[in-house]
Structures are given as structure tokens and as C-alpha cells.
Amino acid sequence: MKKLILTITFLLCGVAASFALPGFTPFVPDTAGEYVWYRDASFARESYVGILSYDEKTYQIRYYAPADRDTLQPETNLALVFTINPESDFFDMTGEKIITEVDPYGDDVDILNYLHDLLYEFSSRRIKLDNLAGTEIFTKQDFEQFGGKVTMCFDSMIPLFNLKQILGANNELIFNCITFGRILDGEDTTFEDFKGLVPAQEYHAPTKTKIKGKSVKYKTQDGQQITLDTNWTQEMENCWMYGEEAFVTIASIPKYFEDQSLNDLFIMRRILESTGGSYTDIETAEFKFDVKKYTIRIIAKSSQPENNRVVYVIKQITTDPSKEINSYLSLAAYEDSYLDKSSYYTKLLKSFKD
């Protein structure tokens, strides 16, 4: 559970060196270490494609498919690191190196060629939408690799090519973003360790058990305050743990960009990014906006393969354009705890004041 505290660390790192893939300028700047994983339904078996940026010149693209007992297909893991010319106005690959084993007698070579094709196709189609700003722009296109007529959805919140999903002729999902994130450094294996998301547990009604504990008010140096109870222990000035079940974090966030829309999207991307071996389930993310209170609340699930559990995450940010510093509130709780005590956690969050 404590690994999720890394999310706050990432958020407060601010804007690292930004760059863009050749030929277009993204509305939300990309930064080193960002990656995105897609579910690729164009394969007959469960398949995923991921793209990682090391810096403006060096990237990795990876294909992963888990072992399939029904068809007796083994686990497949293929990856290549490639370099591009960042000064070019088109996708100009200058070098590549396959970093996984390749079976020359199976489908591996065809899959690697397919990954090459995707890079060039995604680049050329994104370049044509250079004025992309905001979220969810849909465009109908012909895309041979995905069966012909498709609808492509682009979203500025998604890193790199800004591609969110590809829909088939009958609006079925063929290729869709399921998680994105950012690695800490060259030793962080979060990207290559991805093997799909942990499935959610079956819903169960919350219990009526009343949680006992005296109320305790906490106030940080920057004036934020929250009322918890004696079941929580303070780990840092702005972080509290509920045993190993949950933790609450509050913080102040500087304003990174003068453009309010850009600033909001940048912060939302940052707080949704997967970190430290956990993977935010983008498909389950819900966004709630309160214009009067200048707040954005995001509710999402985070997959933790290490212990095969799912964490519910609620994050709230203020976006008051008159302030240079805005507030951030985050609750993370294991799925069984959140479902069992959702009203309890909701009440605690309502006590937050900035």
C-alpha cells in the first residue's frame, strides 16, 4: 500500500524536461519516462502493446500475451528499443535493437513487423491532428491493420501519440488504452513488468458495522486541514495510514501553466499516472467536476500485481484560476476495505478544508 505514496512524489516533481514525438506539438507536453499500454483485440489471443519514452530520441515498444492454456500458446514477450531523429518533421527511425528473445520459426517476426507498422501509422495519423487540444476527438479513417474502416479517438491526457482507442465498424473496441504511467529511472521495471490488470472482485454490499474512534483534527503548515479519527496514524505531516488498509494524503500543487485548461489536463494526467509497480485502470476512471468549487474529483482503480489486489483511489484537486497554489487530496484503499467502508471514507473526505 505504501508504494502508492509514490504518486504524490511524481506529482510534486512538476514539469520535467518536456519533448514531443516528431511532426506535432502535443497540447499536454510529454516528459521522460512516460508510457502507455493498450489492449489489442486484433489478435485472436489476449494481447497488449506498450510504448515507453526514455527521452526525446529513445523509445521502447513491447508486445505481451499471457500463456493460453486452451490453445496451448506459450507466454509471448517481445520488445525492441529504437531511436528516432527528434529534429525531423516525420517519424524517422535511426536505429533499433531487439531486447527479447525471438523465435524465428513462429509468429515473433510477424509481430515485430506489426509493431513497426503501428509506430509509423500512429505517427502519420497523429501528425494530421496537430491542433489537437482537450479531450476525446473522434476521426473516421481507413486502417488496414485493424480491418479497414475504423474510428480513432485521440485524447490529450494520453501520453505520446495521444491515442485513446480504436473502434471497429460496429463500434467494437479493437485497440484501447488501459493504463499509462511514468517510470522513476532506468532501474524501474514497471513498464516491462506489465502483464495485464488484476481482475476486480465481485461486488458485495457494505457492512453496517460502526467504526469507533475519537475525531482528531490535523492541520498542515500551508493551512490545509482534515478530520480523521484515532484509527489513523500519522506517517508524515501530510500522510495518514489506516493500518494496512488505506492511506490519506493532502498536499499543495503549484500552477504549472497559465492556460487553465492545459494546467488541469497536465495535473489530471500526472495524478492518474501509474507508479511503482501499480497500474491505474484508465477504463474505470470517473471524473466529477464542480465548477462552483473549482474542484475535479477522480475515482479510479489501481491494479497491484505484486499482491494480486486492487486499490480504489479517490483524488481531488482544486483548480481555482485566481490561486497560484492549489490543493490536492488523495485516498487509497484496498478494494475490499473500500467496498466495505465506502460511506466511512466518504465522510472523512468531506472533512477536508483548504
Side-chain angles (χ1 to χ4, degrees):
M1 174 61 74
K2 290 186 178 180
K3 280 188 175 182
L4 289 181
I5 298 176
L6 284 171
T7 304
I8 266 288
T9 305
F10 260 172
L11 177 63
L12 299 181
C13 283
V15 186
S18 61
F19 57 89
L21 285 159
F24 66 92
T25 302
F27 184 62
V28 179
D30 294 324
T31 53
E34 286 187 308
Y35 66 82
V36 58
W37 272 102
Y38 296 91
R39 181 185 295 110
D40 190 343
S42 67
F43 287 84
R45 64 188 297 193
E46 181 182 352
S47 299
Y48 303 95
V49 172
I51 307 171
L52 164 71
S53 62
Y54 292 104
D55 53 44
E56 64 178 356
K57 295 189 294 185
T58 312
Y59 297 79
Q60 182 187 153
I61 187 167
R62 180 174 288 262
Y63 170 86
Y64 176 76
D68 191 322
R69 294 182 179 179
D70 294 334
T71 60
L72 301 180
Q73 291 177 295
E75 180 182 53
T76 301
N77 202 344
L78 297 169
L80 61 90
V81 172
F82 62 93
T83 56
I84 59 174
N85 177 7
E87 304 300 325
S88 176
D89 57 2
F90 63 94
F91 192 83
D92 181 15
M93 190 181 291
T94 57
E96 65 177 271
K97 179 182 180 181
I98 299 172
I99 58 173
T100 52
E101 294 184 3
V102 176
D103 178 3
Y105 303 105
D107 297 328
D108 289 5
V109 174
D110 289 338
I111 293 173
L112 288 170
N113 289 333
Y114 169 73
L115 297 180
H116 272 105
D117 291 342
L118 288 187
L119 291 170
Y120 285 101
E121 289 289 344
F122 290 166
S123 175
S124 64
R125 293 164 194 269
R126 178 61 184 84
I127 287 172
K128 294 175 183 177
L129 295 172
D130 190 30
N131 61 347
L132 173 66
T135 60
E136 293 197 344
I137 293 179
F138 293 85
T139 172
K140 294 186 179 297
Q141 301 189 27
D142 288 315
F143 207 140
E144 182 180 352
Q145 284 88 342
F146 295 107
K149 300 289 184 180
V150 301
T151 300
M152 299 185 71
C153 175
F154 293 88
D155 188 328
S156 294
M157 198 181 301
I158 311 298
L160 303 177
F161 293 108
N162 302 139
L163 177 62
K164 184 174 184 179
Q165 57 187 211
I166 299 175
L167 303 169
N170 298 314
N171 285 327
E172 72 277 16
L173 277 174
I174 302 176
F175 195 86
N176 62 300
C177 172
I178 56 173
T179 192
F180 59 80
R182 188 173 166 215
I183 61 172
L184 284 167
D185 51 40
E187 303 300 317
D188 188 339
T189 60
T190 300
F191 173 73
E192 50 260 43
D193 287 346
F194 178 80
K195 295 186 177 182
L197 300 176
V198 175
Q201 68 178 48
E202 292 185 9
Y203 173 77
H204 68 271
T207 65
K208 302 293 184 179
T209 304
K210 186 176 181 180
I211 300 174
K212 298 179 181 180
K214 293 183 180 180
S215 295
V216 181
K217 289 185 178 180
Y218 295 96
K219 188 173 183 179
T220 62
Q221 291 181 352
D222 52 12
Q224 296 177 346
Q225 63 183 49
I226 191 168
T227 302
L228 302 174
D229 59 46
T230 50
N231 293 294
W232 295 78
T233 57
Q234 189 169 19
E235 299 292 320
M236 295 182 287
E237 185 206 5
N238 64 338
C239 181
W240 299 263
M241 299 285 296
Y242 184 91
E244 288 296 319
E245 290 186 44
F247 73 81
V248 165
T249 305
I250 59 180
S252 295
I253 303 174
K255 189 173 183 179
Y256 298 112
F257 300 96
E258 288 300 320
D259 185 304
Q260 190 65 38
S261 178
L262 169 58
N263 193 68
D264 291 350
L265 280 170
F266 175 80
I267 292 175
M268 284 193 287
R269 180 196 283 190
R270 270 288 187 268
I271 65 178
L272 273 172
E273 285 185 328
S274 306
T275 58
S278 299
Y279 304 94
T280 304
D281 185 347
I282 299 301
E283 292 181 294
T284 66
E286 300 177 23
F287 301 85
K288 297 181 180 180
F289 301 88
D290 189 325
V291 177
K292 292 183 180 179
K293 296 182 179 180
Y294 298 106
T295 62
I296 301 172
R297 176 170 286 197
I298 301 173
I299 304 172
K301 297 177 185 180
S302 179
S303 180
Q304 291 197 319
E306 184 179 42
N307 54 19
N308 200 38
R309 298 185 74 177
V310 172
V311 174
Y312 269 69
V313 182
I314 300 177
K315 299 174 184 291
Q316 180 176 298
I317 55 174
T318 61
T319 60
D320 190 339
S322 67
K323 297 181 178 180
E324 289 300 316
I325 300 293
N326 292 319
S327 65
Y328 171 84
L329 167 67
S330 174
L331 164 73
Y334 280 122
E335 183 176 33
D336 52 354
S337 178
Y338 179 81
L339 294 176
D340 194 49
K341 305 180 181 71
S342 57
S343 59
Y344 168 73
Y345 289 132
T346 299
K347 182 180 178 180
L348 294 180
L349 293 177
K350 287 182 178 179
S351 73
F352 174 69
K353 295 179 181 180
D354 59 8

